[in-house]
Amino acid sequence: MNSKELKELIEFLIEKDIAEFELERGDVKVRIKRAGDHTVIHSHAEPRFYAVPPAPGAAPESAAVPLVVAAPAAAAPPVAPAAPAPEEDLHTVKSPIVGTFYEAPSPGAPPFVKVGDGVEVGQVLCIVEAMKLLNEIESDFAGEIVKKLAVNGQPIEYGQELFVIRPKQ
């Protein structure tokens, strides 16, 4: 199954409002499961999987793990640090997609932002790689970076907290 066929299949499933679909052709297995407005795709030629850890603070439920990623056999990655105690004046930037968190535009480059940096609305905070696409995550809030909650190079989930920002005063 090539990428064009896969794209057409996804568009058809969205058009018909089908939430879950599975297809097997020889040694290729494709499973698409939609959660809300997001599409999750599983594609593999041989069974090599690891589960993406749940977002911090989420109750672990083995039946509710929404994504299994095909990857070389490896130890499960560590879970990102827990979020700070909620304060009324702090804003949390959450991941809009599932993928791999990168704090810099390339290996060896300085990070987009560090703790203590001031940020403006629309400023790039990090990159999340999803399905070989690099997605820039922009700040939706102006202020100062108080905490970075994700680990560079580690998988993150939809809605996972990435940064804590203190508003400008």
Side-chain angles (χ1 to χ4, degrees):
M1 175 171 270
N2 63 34
S3 61
K4 182 182 176 192
E5 290 174 315
L6 191 56
K7 183 178 177 183
E8 290 173 356
L9 176 61
I10 291 170
E11 290 171 357
F12 174 78
L13 296 174
I14 291 170
E15 179 182 306
K16 298 297 181 184
D17 199 26
I18 297 173
E20 192 168 343
F21 177 80
E22 190 168 329
L23 170 73
E24 287 187 48
R25 279 191 192 166
D27 62 342
V28 176
K29 181 178 179 181
V30 177
R31 182 168 183 232
I32 301 171
K33 183 175 182 181
R34 292 181 11 175
D37 294 330
H38 302 290
T39 304
V40 179
I41 302 174
H42 313 275
S43 178
H44 54 75
E46 51 187 75
R48 294 183 291 178
F49 304 103
Y50 64 89
V52 176
E61 296 179 19
S62 60
V65 176
L67 178 64
V68 177
V69 179
V79 175
E87 295 182 28
E88 290 179 23
D89 61 342
L90 296 181
H91 174 75
T92 304
V93 176
K94 297 180 181 182
S95 176
I97 56 176
V98 173
T100 304
F101 174 86
Y102 294 107
E103 63 185 11
S106 62
F112 288 106
V113 294
K114 302 181 297 283
V115 173
D117 286 355
V119 295
E120 298 296 324
V121 173
Q123 181 177 340
V124 176
L125 300 175
C126 63
I127 292 176
V128 176
E129 178 187 6
M131 296 179 63
K132 304 294 182 190
L133 296 175
L134 301 177
N135 302 282
E136 292 182 338
I137 307 303
E138 298 176 348
S139 178
D140 57 351
F141 201 77
E144 175 189 351
I145 300 290
V146 177
K147 274 203 171 180
K148 181 184 82 163
L149 302 172
V151 178
N152 192 43
Q154 295 298 312
I156 57 172
E157 288 193 4
Y158 169 77
Q160 182 172 336
E161 297 176 342
L162 304 176
F163 296 94
V164 178
I165 301 175
R166 180 177 292 120
K168 283 186 174 181
Q169 296 181 354

